[in-house]
Amino acid sequence: MLMDKITETIAHFIGLFGIAIEEARLRKDYNEFQAQRALESEQPDLINVTVEGRAPYDLNGMDPGLLYQPLVPGLVKETPWSHVDYRPPQIPESTAAFSGNPAALVPATGFPGGASSAHPGLQTQPPGSIAVRINQEVRLSDNDYVGAGGHGLKFSPTADHGAEMGALLQAAARHAPFANLDAPGSIEEIEDFLLEAGPALTTFAQGYSEADDGAFVVSQEVIEGSFVNGAPATELPKLTDHLPEKEEAKANEPDPVDSVSGTGTVETEASVDLVAGSNTMVNSAVLTNNWLGGGVMAAVGDCVEINAIVQVNAWSDSDAIGLCVSGWKFDPAEATKAFNIAAFARVDPAAGKEAPGDASADFPKHWAVTKIDGDLISMNWIEQFSFVTDNDTHVLSSSGVTTMVTTGGNTTLNDVSLAELGFYYDLIIVGGNIYDANFIHQMNVLLDNDLVGGVKGFGTTGEASLSTGGNLLWNQAEIVTVGGTGGFEALPAHYKKAAENFEAGRNDLPGDVLHDSAFEGLAGVRVLYVSGNMFDLQFVKQTNILGDSDQVAMALNGIDDSFPDADWTISTGSNALINVAQIVDVDLTGKTYVGGNHYSDDILIQAEFVSPNPDLGGKDPDVLVNEAIAFLDDDIAGPSDNHTASVLQPGHDASHPDLMQTMLA
């Protein structure tokens, strides 16, 4: 049989193909057989080799090889203030016979030489005048416009927040006597301010009518105790108990993650969360004045002492809420809270001391005098000012995803902590007048008139909550005066004589001054003499001004689905305006002698002003919102119901626009 060429080739070599297949099968069986034999054979134990190591050398510590030799301490040569030089007298030889009278041996001119004492006198370093001017300002404008969702709308409200704030500031300034006060720039201005401040505050306080103005005023020679919103208090409220609630930080532990392999869809929660308030403004000042202290102070002229605290809280929190949120969780009792907290305290270091002993008590016999020609000034003028505007405008709709918008949450801080530690004298004599004044002026102004409404057709069946209040206005001030109350007496004649001696250039101190009971037991008296006036002025002024009038319009989504079951949470309040100030004024530890008149006045003014509701013209807030709404595309406002937005906004389950994404990944 004749075969073609290909068939004949296959017939010749088919046997070779069969042999190759059999060899492969045999090789596979042989390899498995060899492996099985290797498992059945016993494996020998591992070789155990014992290694002995030796380290005959010990390592020393780090030695950089540096030799340090400290410098020889310096020697300061001290010269004693007292030096005695003794030179024996020369006795002349007499040629005449001794008459028996020892006085004849003394020459009429006296002996040359003798004992001498060089006493340069004790000198102490005089204090200098100090004037501190601190001005801290924070100005922030955070007026945001946010449009979120596929509503295709523009919200343009016509509220004039500037005019509302101006009227509120004008009303608040009427309760603040130091609202527009500038710091004095010279000694004459300081004296004029101190002379006019007391009578001006008294007149200002007398002009109040508590029934009409809602102010609490106390003006008397000495005020002691604490006051909260115009009422005496033994226990003061705590700031931490009244701060607006913040969202608690989540724990550091991560949430458990569940994974499922395969394909499918991811469901997201349809919600809208807006925080347009939650601003915090803080002014803090702590001033300790211990620049000049003394045990006894004597003034030839007058003594003027003034302590004043003025606290004002003014706010307007009138919110316009539309009927579209009538079914939401809303607590109308969550109103703005305001606190004016003031405390006056006096510490008498001489209280509890034993009465002076008898006439045989030990009084000093030495004194050192330091003189200052002119006036002595100790002034601290601190002003802290914060001005924030956070008037936000929002038009929001749910697009089926989780939407979180935060346009508030600002924080401002002005902080001063000043401690002045200076000199101490046992006796301070002032040839002129003594002026001692402490002022704390605090004011908070808040404008929080919010507008919340819905565009026509808006509604939701999900969980919804609204918060437009919960603001806090906090003023807390304290003046602590170290010095006995009622320790003012008429200037004795020997103190006046001492002042006249110092004025004439003599450092003579009458003995009756040294025998004052305040100096009993002292080895010596350190005296400071000021020929002019002594000014002690401490002034702290704190002001917070916040405008947080937010406008919120809610609408349905205009693309694909309106998502009526979305959850809504809106917060436009929860602001905190805080002023905290304390003055510790260390005057003296004993008593004060006054040659002229003594004027003392403590003044407390606590006022609140609440602005009336704004006039909306009798319109519903939803109507105001719809009047301020405009469409971004005119086609959307047409009569047809089948119009879609001109800007494509994909939903949460829309396909990726890159058709080649799986090829390019």
Side-chain angles (χ1 to χ4, degrees):
M1 179 180 177
L2 295 177
M3 295 180 291
D4 60 280
K5 185 178 181 179
I6 296 177
T7 302
E8 184 179 0
T9 302
I10 292 175
H12 280 82
F13 294 98
I14 190 63
L16 296 178
F17 292 156
I19 294 174
I21 293 175
E22 289 299 328
E23 288 180 354
R25 290 174 180 174
L26 293 176
R27 185 182 300 110
K28 176 177 180 297
D29 296 338
Y30 178 77
N31 291 337
E32 292 179 357
F33 174 74
Q34 288 294 102
Q36 189 66 26
R37 287 181 57 186
L39 291 176
E40 293 177 355
S41 61
E42 295 182 0
Q43 299 293 335
D45 296 335
L46 297 176
I47 300 176
N48 185 10
V49 180
T50 302
V51 179
E52 180 181 357
R54 292 182 301 171
Y57 302 103
D58 296 332
L59 298 178
N60 296 329
M62 174 61 183
D63 184 9
L66 300 178
L67 298 178
Y68 171 72
Q69 183 177 1
L71 299 176
V72 178
L75 300 179
V76 179
K77 185 178 180 181
E78 296 287 348
T79 302
W81 62 270
S82 178
H83 174 69
V84 178
D85 183 14
Y86 173 74
R87 294 192 299 270
Q90 297 179 359
I91 302 176
E93 297 181 358
S94 176
T95 57
F98 178 63
S99 61
N101 183 11
L105 300 176
V106 181
T109 58
F111 295 116
S116 65
S117 176
H119 190 288
L122 295 178
Q123 297 292 332
T124 58
Q125 182 180 3
S129 295
I130 180 173
V132 178
R133 174 75 165 91
I134 298 177
N135 184 31
Q136 294 180 325
E137 291 190 11
V138 176
R139 299 177 184 269
L140 173 63
S141 178
D142 185 29
N143 304 323
D144 303 313
Y145 179 90
V146 177
H151 46 71
L153 304 175
K154 181 180 180 181
F155 187 31
S156 303
T158 59
D160 189 359
H161 303 304
E164 296 176 356
M165 178 61 77
L168 189 60
L169 289 174
Q170 185 176 5
R174 187 169 59 89
H175 299 269
F178 298 137
N180 300 316
L181 183 65
D182 295 329
S186 63
I187 296 179
E188 293 76 12
E189 292 181 2
I190 294 176
E191 186 173 10
D192 293 342
F193 170 75
L194 293 175
L195 291 175
E196 298 174 359
L201 280 174
T202 303
T203 304
F204 186 85
Q206 293 175 352
Y208 265 115
S209 174
E210 296 185 10
D212 298 336
D213 296 332
F216 173 75
V217 179
V218 178
S219 178
Q220 56 192 36
E221 185 175 351
V222 176
I223 299 178
E224 288 191 77
S226 303
F227 302 85
V228 178
N229 291 338
T234 57
E235 185 176 356
L236 301 180
K238 297 181 180 180
L239 176 61
T240 54
D241 296 337
H242 299 277
L243 286 173
E245 295 183 358
K246 304 290 185 180
E247 293 185 1
E248 297 183 358
K250 296 183 179 179
N252 295 330
E253 298 181 0
D255 297 333
V257 178
D258 297 332
S259 60
V260 178
S261 60
T263 60
T265 60
V266 178
E267 295 183 359
T268 59
E269 180 183 358
S271 63
V272 179
D273 189 348
L274 170 64
V275 178
S278 298
N279 299 290
T280 302
M281 306 173 67
V282 179
N283 290 322
S284 175
V286 177
L287 174 60
T288 301
N289 175 36
N290 193 13
W291 181 248
L292 182 62
V296 176
M297 187 173 295
V300 178
D302 301 332
C303 181
V304 179
E305 183 182 13
I306 303 174
N307 296 308
I309 295 178
V310 179
Q311 297 174 320
V312 179
N313 281 325
W315 72 92
S316 177
D317 188 11
S318 301
D319 303 316
I321 310 300
L323 297 177
C324 66
V325 298
S326 58
W328 291 23
K329 295 180 181 179
F330 178 70
D331 186 8
E334 190 184 16
T336 296
K337 297 183 293 184
F339 291 89
N340 285 322
I341 305 171
F344 291 85
R346 288 182 177 267
V347 180
D348 187 0
K353 290 186 177 181
E354 298 180 358
D358 52 13
S360 61
D362 186 16
F363 290 96
K365 299 180 179 59
H366 307 281
W367 64 92
V369 180
T370 300
K371 295 183 179 180
I372 295 179
D373 295 331
D375 300 324
L376 181 62
I377 302 174
S378 175
M379 184 184 77
N380 294 287
W381 193 283
I382 300 175
E383 292 190 28
Q384 297 174 323
F385 179 82
S386 297
F387 181 83
V388 176
T389 58
D390 187 29
N391 302 318
D392 303 321
T393 303
H394 308 83
V395 52
L396 309 174
S397 66
S398 176
S399 56
V401 296
T402 300
T403 303
M404 302 178 67
V405 179
T406 301
T407 58
N410 301 293
T411 300
T412 65
L413 173 62
N414 291 318
D415 186 24
V416 172
S417 180
L418 183 62
E420 297 176 348
L421 308 177
F423 302 85
Y424 179 86
Y425 295 88
D426 302 311
L427 173 61
I428 300 176
I429 299 179
V430 180
N433 304 322
I434 297 177
Y435 300 95
D436 186 8
N438 302 301
F439 298 93
I440 296 179
H441 184 278
Q442 298 175 322
M443 184 170 66
N444 288 318
V445 180
L446 171 65
L447 177 63
D448 188 24
N449 296 337
D450 301 320
L451 171 63
V452 180
V455 180
K456 184 178 180 181
F458 172 77
T460 180
T461 58
E463 295 184 1
S465 63
L466 174 64
S467 174
T468 59
N471 301 297
L472 174 65
L473 284 74
W474 184 278
N475 287 324
Q476 185 171 4
E478 182 182 18
I479 295 179
V480 179
T481 303
V482 179
T485 59
F488 295 89
E489 300 178 7
L491 183 68
H494 47 275
Y495 276 95
K496 186 175 182 181
K497 178 63 177 177
E500 293 174 353
N501 292 339
F502 296 154
E503 182 66 23
R506 300 187 301 271
N507 292 342
D508 299 337
L509 198 63
D512 292 339
V513 175
L514 296 177
H515 285 78
D516 194 308
S517 59
F519 306 139
E520 181 180 350
L522 297 179
V525 178
R526 292 166 294 182
V527 183
L528 172 65
Y529 174 70
V530 181
S531 63
N533 300 323
M534 190 169 71
F535 300 95
D536 184 4
L537 174 59
Q538 316 301 321
F539 186 90
V540 177
K541 181 180 178 182
Q542 298 174 320
T543 305
N544 283 322
I545 302 175
L546 173 61
D548 184 39
S549 296
D550 303 309
Q551 320 292 316
V552 182
M554 297 169 291
L556 293 177
N557 195 55
I559 300 177
D560 297 337
D561 189 1
S562 59
F563 303 101
D565 57 346
D567 298 335
W568 288 76
T569 302
I570 295 179
S571 175
T572 60
S574 300
N575 301 292
L577 285 70
I578 303 170
N579 290 319
V580 179
Q582 182 188 46
I583 295 178
V584 179
D585 188 18
V586 181
D587 294 332
L588 55 130
T589 59
K591 50 191 173 182
T592 302
Y593 297 110
V594 182
N597 299 321
H598 173 229
Y599 173 83
S600 178
D601 195 6
D602 288 359
I603 300 174
L604 172 63
I605 299 176
Q606 292 180 330
E608 290 184 357
F609 175 77
V610 182
S611 177
N613 296 334
D615 185 13
L616 301 179
K619 294 184 179 180
D620 181 74
D622 290 335
V623 177
L624 296 177
V625 168
N626 284 273
E627 290 179 352
I629 284 294
F631 291 92
L632 295 176
D633 193 334
D634 294 338
D635 295 338
I636 301 179
S640 176
D641 296 336
N642 298 325
H643 288 288
T644 58
S646 58
V647 179
L648 178 61
Q649 180 174 351
H652 65 280
D653 57 349
S655 60
H656 199 283
D658 183 8
L659 301 180
M660 297 291 290
Q661 57 173 324
T662 57
M663 299 295 294
L664 300 178

